[in-house]
Amino acid sequence: MRISSLTGLRGIAAVSVLLYHIPHAPAFQAFAIPLFSRAYLAVDLFFILSGFVISYGYYDRLMHNLGRSSYMDFLINRTARVWPLHLIVTLVFMARILVNVSGTQAIPLDLPNILTNLLMIQSWGWGTQPIAGNSWSVSTEVAAYLLYPLIAIMAFSRWAWAQLALCVGILVLVASSGRGASGPLDVNDYDTVLTLLRCLAGFALGVLTYRIRDMALTRNLLAGPGRFAAICVIIAVALMLPRAADVLVVCLMPALVLTCYYDGAAARAVMANPVSYHLGLISYSIYLWHPLVRDIMARVMGIAHRHGFVGHDWVFIAAMLIATWLLCWASYRLIELPGHKIIKWLQRGGRARPTPVKVAA
C-alpha cells in the first residue's frame, strides 16, 4: 500500500535532482537555479525515505518471522523493484559510451565495471565505476537491503540511540572527508567506502524514523496542523546556511518524512496532488534516465548553434523536460512494472499468482 504524500515527496526529490543536474552539462550552465544548488541532498532524502518505506512495507512480515525464506522473499521483492530498470539503463549507457553520445566518455567498459554494474554492486568502494552515473545510489541501496535485518534489529532495540549517534557520526565523517563535489555531503566517488556509508547512514535514519512514528511525543510534535509547513520552513532556513550545514539539513529530513506520513491537509495538498503523485510513481525512472536525456539535448543544441539557431536555448530545456517526462512514463509502464511482474512470476516457478478465495458473508 502506498502512502500518497510519501510517494509525492519522492517525486519532488527526483525532480529536484534533475534540476540540480541540468547545469552540470556545460551547454546548460546558464540555466543553474540557485534554489536547487544543494539538491544533491535530495539523494540523502531518498535514502531516508527508503529506510522508512521499506520498514513500513516489510518490517512486520520479515522481522516477526525472520528466517531464510522470509529474507530471500524480501530480497527478491527488492530486486524485482530496482534491477529491471537498472539493467536496461546500464545497457543503454554502455551503448552511449560506445557511440560517445556526449563527446566525453571516460568510463572504461572493462570486465570488472561491467560485471559489478550488472550485479548492482559497483559502488561498494572497491574501485569499479557506475556506468549509468546516478546508479551509484541504487548500488549502495542494494547493500542496505542486504543489511536490513541487522539495521532493523538494532533500530528496534534499546541500542537505537547508539545507532542514531553512529548515523550522525558517519554523516559528519563523510561531510568532513573533503571529497564532496558540490558540497560537503555530495560524496559519490567510486574509490571510497564513504559513498556506501553515506547511504547506510541515511537508510538507518529512515528505519529509526519508522520506529518512532507512533510514539506519543513524535505525534504531538509533528502530527498537528501547521507542522508540515513549519518543517518545510525550518529546512529552507537550514538550506540558506553555509554548506557546512549539510548534516543538519539531513538530520531534519526525518521530520519531513513523518509530517508526510501523518498525511495532514497541507502535506496532502503539496505532496499527494495528482502531479506530485505521478512524479513519485515515475521518480526512479526520472532519477536514472535524466542525465542521458540532458546530454543528448545538449548535443542537439550544439548542432543547432552551429547551424545558426541561437538565442533560443530555453527551447532545448523545455524539450529536455518534456522528453524526460515522456521517456520516464513509458519506462515506468514498459520496464518497471513488467520487470517486477516477470521476476515475481519466475519466483513462483512460472505459476500465476493465486487468486484470493472469497469467503461468503
Side-chain angles (χ1 to χ4, degrees), residues 219-276:
R219 283 192 169 273
N220 289 337
L221 285 173
L222 298 172
R227 302 302 200 277
F228 171 76
I231 293 300
C232 289
V233 169
I234 292 171
I235 291 177
V237 170
L239 286 169
M240 290 188 286
L241 298 174
R243 290 177 187 264
D246 276 3
V247 173
L248 171 62
V249 175
V250 173
C251 288
L252 291 169
M253 287 176 177
L256 177 61
V257 171
L258 285 171
T259 56
C260 290
Y261 170 74
Y262 295 141
D263 211 26
R268 287 198 305 273
V270 176
M271 299 298 178
N273 64 71
V275 173
S276 296

Side-chain angles (χ1 to χ4, degrees), residues 55-257:
S55 296
Y56 178 82
Y58 292 99
Y59 179 79
D60 287 341
R61 55 176 158 158
L62 175 61
M63 302 307 295
H64 291 172
N65 187 31
L66 186 59
R68 181 180 180 276
S69 178
S70 59
Y71 180 56
M72 290 305 299
D73 185 65
F74 165 73
L75 291 180
I76 290 171
N77 272 303
R78 297 316 304 160
T79 300
R81 173 68 182 93
V82 300
W83 187 74
L85 181 61
H86 182 277
L87 172 65
I88 297 300
V89 172
T90 297
L91 293 175
V92 171
F93 270 70
M94 287 171 63
R96 169 198 184 189
I97 292 171
L98 292 173
V99 300
N100 203 12
V101 168
S102 64
T104 54
Q105 301 297 346
I107 299 175
L109 293 181
D110 54 26
L111 187 60
N113 276 342
I114 292 173
L115 284 180
T116 54
N117 275 268
L118 294 178
L119 294 172
M120 295 192 297
I121 59 173
Q122 66 270 27
S123 296
W124 290 9
W126 38 44
T128 52
Q129 299 173 259
I131 292 172
N134 286 351
S135 68
W136 68 268
S137 65
V138 182
S139 171
T140 58
E141 279 208 27
V142 170
Y145 302 157
L146 290 168
L147 294 173
Y148 177 70
L150 294 177
I151 294 171
I153 287 171
M154 189 169 183
F156 281 80
S157 74
R158 62 178 180 175
W159 295 101
W161 62 270
Q163 187 179 59
L164 174 62
L166 180 62
C167 290
V168 175
I170 289 173
L171 291 173
V172 171
L173 173 67
V174 174
S176 61
S177 68
R179 286 178 168 266
S182 298
L185 261 183
D186 188 23
V187 176
N188 51 44
D189 294 338
Y190 64 87
D191 60 348
T192 174
V193 75
L194 292 176
T195 301
L196 176 60
L197 292 178
R198 175 188 177 189
C199 168
L200 294 177
F203 186 90
L205 280 177
V207 179
L208 288 165
T209 303
Y210 177 77
R211 176 186 172 168
I212 66 170
R213 74 200 185 285
D214 289 329
M215 289 183 177
L217 177 61
T218 309
R219 283 192 169 273
N220 289 337
L221 285 173
L222 298 172
R227 302 302 200 277
F228 171 76
I231 293 300
C232 289
V233 169
I234 292 171
I235 291 177
V237 170
L239 286 169
M240 290 188 286
L241 298 174
R243 290 177 187 264
D246 276 3
V247 173
L248 171 62
V249 175
V250 173
C251 288
L252 291 169
M253 287 176 177
L256 177 61
V257 171

Side-chain angles (χ1 to χ4, degrees), residues 331-346:
S331 172
Y332 174 71
R333 296 297 299 271
L334 301 177
I335 301 174
E336 291 188 55
L337 294 181
H340 184 275
K341 290 178 181 177
I342 289 171
I343 290 178
K344 294 300 292 179
W345 177 76
L346 291 172

